[in-house]
Amino acid sequence: MIIFAILSLLTVAGAVMAMSLRNLVHCALALTVAFAGLAGLYLQLDAEFVGFAQVLVYIGAVAILIVFAILLTRGGEPAAQSIFSSSWVLGAAVAVSVFGVLGSMIWSSPAVQHWGLTSSPAVNVLQIGEQLMTRFILPLEVLGLLLTAALIGAVLIAMRDAVTATEGNRETTARRNVAKGVDELAVPTLRGPIQGGKK
Amino acid sequence: MTPLGAYLLISTLLFAVGLAGALTRRNAIIVLIGIELMLNAANLNFIAFWRYGPNPHALTGIIFVIFSIGVAAAEAAVGLALVISIYRQQKTTNVDQIDSMRG
């Protein structure tokens, strides 16, 4: 019970700090603390595999991805203006009312009072693997396809558009030459010198 | 309060904090972090119901959470790539300023 209190305090405090701190890098660090607390809660609930998957996927991959995104968008510099958006009163009211409704439902639910304290289910990775390879084989394949498509899509979206970038450079060069008084037609065309210039 | 109720309350709190962050913060990356927190709250619910439910030997809760983690990872990758792309186009990640599709 004490371990549960410590872990849940860690998780909720990390989540609150991740949502309220000013510096985005600090937000990412607080989010990592919240994910670690959640992994501990999974271990408390006898779901060892999910706990370690949480550590691997969230702390190992998603947190690193978020830090990279923060650094690539120059979010590391503290915001000059308010960190909350213009409609924050409405958003906070919605969040508080959602918490109120869900909390009162849990408080008055008969299932929550009657369920509980079954004997600890002994689940090992072998059983999970057997289930994944027999009963849940089709969802597993679909998930693999989804992950592949999502990763290819993410790379395509985030990749700097090569054609646009080259044309942008060409325009800047042309504008600079015009400003210098050089005739634009004297500038060689795009394809020739770049392709010939490489080798 | 039974253990199941305690876990459900923690999960509700986590969901509300994530929702508040996603609805009130200005930066698009923090909005994505809030969505990740909400997904994690749902995962905690699945595990708690699996552990204290009537049939913990069916393993459905664990399997569902594994799939949910995979989908959340795909969502985070695509979402952050979109944020980086928007930053290249508009030089901002402020969700108040990204309103070029407003009618």
Side-chain angles (χ1 to χ4, degrees), chain B residues 39-101:
Chain B
L39 279 165
N40 271 289
N43 286 351
L44 184 59
N45 255 7
F46 276 122
I47 294 291
F49 274 117
W50 162 79
R51 171 67 179 78
Y52 294 110
N55 188 11
H57 297 285
L59 287 182
T60 38
I62 286 187
I63 304 281
F64 209 114
V65 167
I66 291 171
F67 286 130
S68 166
I69 287 177
V71 173
E75 174 260 334
V78 175
L80 291 172
L82 281 174
V83 170
I84 290 174
S85 178
I86 288 174
Y87 179 77
R88 285 222 183 96
Q89 302 263 332
Q90 315 218 349
K91 299 291 168 211
T92 181
T93 54
N94 184 343
V95 292
D96 280 343
Q97 290 175 12
I98 306 170
D99 57 356
S100 55
M101 284 178 76

Side-chain angles (χ1 to χ4, degrees), chain A residues 24-68:
Chain A
L24 291 190
V25 180
H26 296 172
C27 290
L29 284 177
L31 181 77
T32 314
V33 171
F35 285 159
L38 267 171
L41 283 178
Y42 291 153
L43 294 182
Q44 278 289 103
L45 281 166
D46 298 316
E48 286 90 2
F49 183 75
V50 176
F52 292 125
Q54 171 91 5
V55 172
L56 279 177
V57 174
Y58 277 104
I59 301 175
V62 173
I64 300 294
L65 206 62
I66 287 172
V67 170
F68 266 108

Side-chain angles (χ1 to χ4, degrees), chain A residues 68-122:
Chain A
F68 266 108
I70 287 172
L71 296 181
L72 280 177
T73 57
R74 292 189 201 160
E77 305 152 6
Q81 48 194 354
S82 162
I83 55 173
F84 294 110
S85 75
S86 51
S87 60
W88 69 273
V89 180
L90 194 64
V94 168
V96 168
S97 55
V98 164
F99 177 70
V101 169
L102 288 179
S104 66
M105 283 295 162
I106 290 167
W107 198 260
S108 61
S109 160
V112 172
Q113 259 82 48
H114 292 151
W115 289 5
L117 296 179
T118 50
S119 63
S120 170

